[in-house]
Amino acid sequence: MTAKIATGEDISSTERVAGPTIMFGRFMLPDLSEHPCQVSELTPDGAVFITTTVPEKDAQIVAYLDDIGRVEGLSGEVLPGGFRIVFSHTGQRRERFASRLSGRSAKNTTAGTDLRRHSRHAPSDGQSYITLPDGRVYPCEVIDISLSGAAVKVDVMPSLGTYLMLGKMRGRIVRYVDSGIAIEFLKPLNTTQLSTQIR
């Protein structure tokens, strides 16, 4: 079974990162500005970067991916919430990168499932607030909540990986959602705590 990325090349399904995974990174644009991103659909030849900063097509990108390292490429098609990147490495460099992906995949076949292992519920009162590390406080609306995290509608978009408080619950931003952010709690709620939050 094969799949195609922006280059049009066939990619064996065995070369994809196995299992769901959450990966973060940073990428640098030609103007030397750096931007955080969440990485998905990662293969040895490309990936999707979820980010609030989308470069023009064919921009030179240098990225640093958690647990993977440096990779270079060109920006591709613009996607909802981000863009596709096509990596420029070939030959042995590509093989080494594929090997790193394979090693990470073997360690993380269950990584990324934690956020969805618990049922999500609508809160009884969705009005809350987030507090950022610098003390700024913003009102928000909790879309849904579970033992391990919550989706929140908010007007600000802090960087992925930012630690914050949702009400009195400490967590970190793990991805962007429609009109807001998804937060993973550092300490999961117990069923009693959750029952006080939901209808």
Side-chain angles (χ1 to χ4, degrees):
M1 180 177 174
T2 59
K4 290 180 180 294
I5 61 166
T7 59
E9 297 177 277
D10 286 337
I11 311 271
S12 168
S13 59
T14 59
E15 291 188 286
R16 292 180 174 274
V17 176
T21 183
I22 296 175
M23 182 185 295
F24 299 101
R26 298 187 68 82
F27 64 93
M28 185 168 65
L29 297 177
D31 64 3
L32 302 183
S33 62
E34 289 192 14
H35 307 275
C37 64
Q38 180 178 337
V39 184
S40 65
E41 298 182 29
L42 179 61
T43 75
D45 295 294
V48 170
F49 284 3
I50 305 301
T51 177
T52 55
T53 302
V54 178
E56 295 182 356
K57 195 173 185 300
D58 295 328
Q60 291 281 349
I61 303 289
V62 177
Y64 296 87
L65 310 183
D66 289 356
D67 301 328
I68 297 295
R70 177 187 168 110
V71 65
E72 299 180 20
L74 294 176
S75 57
E77 65 177 310
V78 176
L79 302 171
F83 66 97
R84 189 175 298 278
I85 179 173
V86 179
F87 299 145
S88 56
H89 51 212
T90 58
Q92 290 187 346
R93 289 184 61 192
R94 181 189 180 279
E95 291 176 9
R96 287 196 297 270
F97 186 80
S99 179
R100 291 202 299 273
L101 291 190
S102 178
R104 186 184 190 279
S105 175
K107 294 188 296 181
N108 290 278
T109 53
T110 60
T113 59
D114 287 352
L115 289 179
R116 291 294 169 183
R117 74 179 185 270
H118 298 123
S119 298
R120 290 182 173 265
H121 308 273
S124 55
D125 180 5
Q127 300 305 308
S128 187
Y129 57 91
I130 61 170
T131 305
L132 300 183
D134 62 5
R136 287 178 294 165
V137 178
Y138 296 94
C140 68
E141 179 184 352
V142 180
I143 302 169
D144 59 48
I145 189 169
S146 73
L147 296 175
S148 56
V152 174
K153 183 177 181 180
V154 66
D155 291 335
V156 296
M157 300 291 278
S159 300
L160 294 172
T162 297
Y163 288 90
L164 48 66
M165 298 291 291
L166 172 61
K168 296 181 179 180
M169 296 172 288
R170 183 168 173 76
R172 70 184 181 107
I173 301 172
V174 293
R175 65 179 178 276
Y176 298 123
V177 299
D178 290 343
S179 302
I181 54 179
I183 298 170
E184 179 185 26
F185 299 144
L186 297 188
K187 181 180 180 181
L189 303 178
N190 57 45
T191 53
T192 300
Q193 290 172 314
L194 181 63
S195 66
T196 64
Q197 301 286 335
I198 63 177
R199 296 188 178 98

